[in-house]
Coordinates of all heavy atoms in Angstrom, one line a residue:
M17 N 18.6 -36.7 -101.8 CA 17.3 -36.0 -101.6 C 17.0 -35.2 -102.9 O 17.8 -34.4 -103.3 CB 17.3 -35.2 -100.4 CG 16.1 -34.4 -100.2 SD 15.8 -33.7 -98.6 CE 16.9 -32.4 -98.5
T18 N 15.8 -35.3 -103.3 CA 15.3 -34.5 -104.5 C 14.3 -33.4 -104.1 O 13.4 -33.7 -103.3 CB 14.6 -35.5 -105.5 OG1 15.5 -36.6 -105.8 CG2 14.2 -34.7 -106.8
V19 N 14.5 -32.3 -104.6 CA 13.7 -31.1 -104.3 C 12.9 -30.8 -105.6 O 13.4 -30.7 -106.7 CB 14.5 -29.9 -103.9 CG1 13.6 -28.7 -103.6 CG2 15.3 -30.3 -102.6
D20 N 11.6 -30.6 -105.4 CA 10.7 -30.3 -106.5 C 10.8 -28.8 -106.8 O 10.4 -28.0 -106.0 CB 9.2 -30.7 -106.2 CG 8.3 -30.3 -107.4 OD1 8.8 -30.1 -108.5 OD2 7.1 -30.3 -107.1
L21 N 11.4 -28.4 -107.9 CA 11.5 -27.0 -108.3 C 10.6 -26.6 -109.4 O 10.7 -25.6 -110.0 CB 13.0 -26.8 -108.8 CG 14.1 -27.1 -107.8 CD1 15.4 -26.9 -108.4 CD2 13.9 -26.2 -106.6
S22 N 9.5 -27.4 -109.7 CA 8.6 -27.1 -110.8 C 7.9 -25.8 -110.6 O 7.6 -25.1 -111.6 CB 7.6 -28.2 -110.9 OG 6.8 -28.3 -109.7
F23 N 7.7 -25.3 -109.4 CA 7.0 -24.0 -109.2 C 7.8 -22.9 -109.8 O 7.3 -22.0 -110.4 CB 6.9 -23.7 -107.7 CG 6.4 -22.3 -107.4 CD1 5.1 -21.9 -107.7 CD2 7.3 -21.3 -107.1 CE1 4.7 -20.6 -107.5 CE2 6.9 -20.0 -106.9 CZ 5.6 -19.6 -107.1
F24 N 9.1 -22.9 -109.7 CA 10.0 -21.9 -110.3 C 10.0 -21.8 -111.8 O 10.4 -20.8 -112.4 CB 11.4 -22.0 -109.8 CG 11.5 -21.9 -108.3 CD1 11.7 -23.0 -107.5 CD2 11.3 -20.7 -107.6 CE1 11.7 -22.9 -106.1 CE2 11.4 -20.5 -106.3 CZ 11.6 -21.6 -105.5
R25 N 9.5 -22.9 -112.4 CA 9.3 -22.9 -113.9 C 7.9 -22.7 -114.3 O 7.6 -22.7 -115.5 CB 9.9 -24.2 -114.4 CG 11.4 -24.3 -114.3 CD 12.0 -25.5 -115.0 NE 11.4 -26.8 -114.5 CZ 12.0 -27.5 -113.5 NH1 13.1 -27.1 -112.9 NH2 11.4 -28.6 -113.1
S26 N 7.0 -22.6 -113.4 CA 5.6 -22.6 -113.7 C 5.2 -21.3 -114.3 O 5.9 -20.2 -114.2 CB 4.7 -22.8 -112.4 OG 4.8 -21.7 -111.6

Side-chain angles (χ1 to χ4, degrees):
M17 174 162 76
T18 306
V19 177
D20 181 16
L21 300 175
S22 61
F23 170 77
F24 297 105
R25 293 186 299 269
S26 72

